[in-house]
Amino acid sequence: MYVLQRIRKFIKIALIILIVAAVVLGLAVVTVNSYVVNKEKSYIVKAVKGADEDDAKLSSAQKKRLQELDPDCIMVLGCGIVDYNTPTRMLKDRLDVAIALYQQGVAPKILLTGDNGTVSHNEIHVMLTYTKKAGVPEKDIFCDHAGFSTYDSMYRARSIFQVKNMVVVTQSYHMYRSLYIARKLGLSALGVSADQKTYHGQSAREIREVLARNKDFLKCIRKPSSVLGGEAIPITGSGVSSHGE
C-alpha cells in the first residue's frame, strides 16, 4: 500500500511538472512570435491586395521610402511549383509583384531564391522562365538554386550575392520572419507583401509559421552558415552566370 501511495504521489508531481513546463513553453512560443511580428511590421511598406496591375503601383511616399533604402535587388522567395513550367498561385503573385516593382524602378536587379534540391522540384527554373517572359533582361535576374529555407536564402544573399540592401517580396504572414532574419544577418531590408487573395490551406500555414518564427529566432542567435556555400556572384554585375539553364 505504501509503495502504491508513493507511485501515485510521483505520478501526480510528474503531471504537475509537465503541465507547468507546457504552459511555460507555450508562453515562450507566443512571446517570441509576438516579438518577431511587432518588431518587423513597420518595415512592410505596402501590401498588394489585388491582382490588378494598378494595385501594385506604389504611392509617391512608398516609392520614396523604398528608394531611400537604395536597394541592390528585389528578392523573391520561392514557395512551390505546380509542375516544371507552372508556379503555384502564391509564387505567381510574388513574382508579379516583384516584376511590377522592378518596372517601377525600385531596384536594378531581381534575386530569385528557392529550392532546386532535386531534378523534379526546380523552383528556380519556373521562376526564371516566368520572369524572363515578363520582359526582365536576363542580366538583371539572379538565381539562388540553394535557397532551401528562408534562413538559407537570406544568408546566401549576403555571402554569395553580396547584397547589402534589398526589398523582399513574399506574403505578409511570411514577411515578418523574412525581414527579421535579414536584419539579424546584417542586411537592410524592407518588404512589399503579395497578398492578392486568400490561399488554400492558409490557416495551417499560419500555425506552422508561428513555430517557424520561433525556430529561426533561435537560429539567428547562433547564426550558422547556410547549407551550401559557393563562389561569390556579386549582385552588382550580370546575373546570367547564376541561371544554370
Side-chain angles (χ1 to χ4, degrees):
M1 188 63 118
Y2 175 74
V3 173
L4 286 175
Q5 288 177 340
R6 292 292 299 270
I7 291 173
R8 290 194 190 100
K9 185 176 181 180
F10 173 79
I11 292 173
K12 184 178 180 180
I13 293 172
L15 285 172
I16 291 172
I17 292 172
L18 286 173
I19 291 169
V20 171
V23 171
V24 171
L25 179 61
L27 287 172
V29 167
V30 170
T31 299
V32 169
N33 179 68
S34 296
Y35 173 76
V36 172
V37 171
N38 290 328
K39 190 170 180 62
E40 301 303 328
K41 62 185 179 182
S42 64
Y43 294 102
I44 301 177
V45 174
K46 179 180 177 66
V48 180
K49 297 184 179 296
D52 189 277
E53 188 176 321
D54 288 339
D55 292 320
K57 287 184 178 178
L58 300 166
S59 69
S60 57
Q62 290 167 340
K63 189 171 184 178
K64 181 181 179 183
R65 187 179 178 195
L66 292 173
Q67 290 181 327
E68 284 177 347
L69 177 68
D70 192 22
D72 301 313
C73 66
I74 301 159
M75 172 188 272
V76 186
L77 290 148
C79 61
I81 54 178
V82 176
D83 55 40
Y84 192 68
N85 296 301
T86 313
T88 60
R89 182 59 208 236
M90 288 183 72
L91 182 53
K92 179 184 181 299
D93 289 347
R94 294 181 189 186
L95 290 166
D96 286 342
V97 169
I99 291 164
L101 294 177
Y102 172 85
Q103 292 170 340
Q104 292 175 73
V106 168
K109 311 287 183 179
I110 293 178
L111 173 57
L112 308 173
T113 175
D115 188 348
N116 182 196
T118 65
V119 174
S120 62
H121 188 82
N122 191 340
E123 290 182 348
I124 293 301
H125 167 77
V126 176
M127 295 167 78
L128 175 61
T129 301
Y130 190 93
T131 306
K132 288 196 296 185
K133 282 184 177 179
V136 179
E138 290 190 4
K139 65 181 179 62
D140 290 344
I141 308 170
F142 286 73
C143 297
D144 179 8
H145 297 260
F148 303 127
S149 69
T150 306
Y151 181 90
D152 281 347
S153 293
M154 297 301 172
Y155 191 99
R156 287 172 57 81
R158 185 194 67 182
S159 64
I160 302 298
F161 298 95
Q162 300 180 356
V163 174
K164 295 179 180 178
N165 311 318
M166 65 180 176
V167 175
V168 179
V169 176
T170 183
Q171 275 74 27
S172 288
Y173 84 95
H174 182 223
M175 184 68 79
Y176 307 108
R177 177 163 59 101
S178 302
L179 294 175
Y180 182 82
I181 296 170
R183 220 172 303 290
K184 284 297 179 180
L185 292 177
L187 294 161
S188 294
L190 292 173
V192 176
S193 297
D195 293 328
Q196 285 94 320
K197 60 180 291 187
T198 300
Y199 303 97
H200 178 71
Q202 186 61 29
S203 296
R205 210 173 281 116
E206 296 275 3
I207 293 171
R208 288 197 303 271
E209 186 64 17
V210 171
L211 300 177
R213 288 173 193 147
N214 277 262
K215 172 183 67 76
D216 282 334
F217 174 83
L218 295 174
K219 201 168 187 176
C220 285
I221 294 173
R222 297 185 294 110
K223 294 185 175 67
S225 300
S226 57
V227 172
L228 292 180
E231 295 183 3
I233 308 173
I235 198 77
T236 52
S238 170
V240 174
S241 65
S242 69
H243 294 179
E245 293 285 280

